[in-house]
Amino acid sequence: MRTLRDALGRYATGVAVVTTCAPGGERIGVTVNSFASVSLDPALVLWCLSKRAPSTPVFLRAEGFAVNVLACGQEHLSQRFARPAPDKFAGVETRLTPSGLPALAGALAFFACRTVTAYEGGDHRIFIGEVEHFQWQEGEPLVFHAGRYRELGAMDPTMDRIGA
């Protein structure tokens, strides 16, 4: 199992914090690196959560979620939301999305989504959401590779963009 995890870790990923609200209004958040675009029309995204995560039942009952794409330098937020704590949001600056979901200040992007479905996927749940609102800003992403946070190298502005 460890060698498979090490091999999968060779694929660099971004880091995101997925947030929602419990029925009583409690804010819930969890760090993920399994965020991806599924479709542009309709606008669908996915992310995965361990079935053993304490927040899994809350996300399964929630009508929606927000994906907050972390920026370089936000390792502290990644670590905070990756560990159990009574209030992961204590001292964290947030704002509400138009649908009332907590969004993290300083994130490179956030996607407020309506939950479409959650599939079983081995020891995880695969959440699919329809993007209802999003915002983004320029900046460098927080990247995770081979068990460590990394920074992207300086981009060459003369290089062609994919598809250009």
Side-chain angles (χ1 to χ4, degrees), residues 13-112:
T13 65
V15 183
V17 171
V18 181
T19 60
T20 196
C21 291
E26 177 189 9
R27 298 177 298 176
I28 306 295
V30 63
T31 300
V32 302
N33 70 346
S34 58
F35 170 63
S37 170
V38 174
S39 169
L40 293 177
D41 187 18
L44 300 174
V45 297
L46 71 75
W47 64 283
C48 302
L49 181 63
S50 171
K51 289 180 181 177
R52 293 179 299 185
S55 58
T56 298
V58 176
F59 279 104
L60 286 170
R61 287 191 305 271
E63 293 181 9
F65 56 84
V67 179
N68 300 267
V69 178
L70 297 185
C72 186
Q74 290 186 312
E75 293 90 344
H76 64 287
L77 291 176
S78 172
Q79 293 166 350
R80 171 185 286 258
F81 285 92
R83 297 186 180 103
D87 181 5
K88 294 180 183 184
F89 288 86
V92 175
E93 186 180 348
T94 62
R95 61 189 183 285
L96 292 180
T97 68
S99 54
L101 297 166
L104 304 180
L108 281 185
F110 77 83
F111 303 86

Side-chain angles (χ1 to χ4, degrees), residues 83-164:
R83 297 186 180 103
D87 181 5
K88 294 180 183 184
F89 288 86
V92 175
E93 186 180 348
T94 62
R95 61 189 183 285
L96 292 180
T97 68
S99 54
L101 297 166
L104 304 180
L108 281 185
F110 77 83
F111 303 86
C113 304
R114 177 184 60 80
T115 302
V116 173
T117 193
Y119 296 105
E120 297 251 351
D123 58 1
H124 279 64
R125 293 283 186 151
I126 304 163
F127 289 84
I128 306 285
E130 183 170 7
V131 178
E132 296 183 323
H133 183 78
F134 66 93
Q135 284 185 331
W136 63 277
Q137 64 182 344
E138 294 292 337
E140 293 294 319
L142 181 59
V143 177
F144 199 73
H145 175 261
R148 293 184 16 208
Y149 296 107
R150 309 285 182 145
E151 290 187 24
L152 295 179
M155 293 180 56
D156 182 348
T158 64
M159 291 186 65
D160 289 340
R161 295 179 185 254
I162 294 175

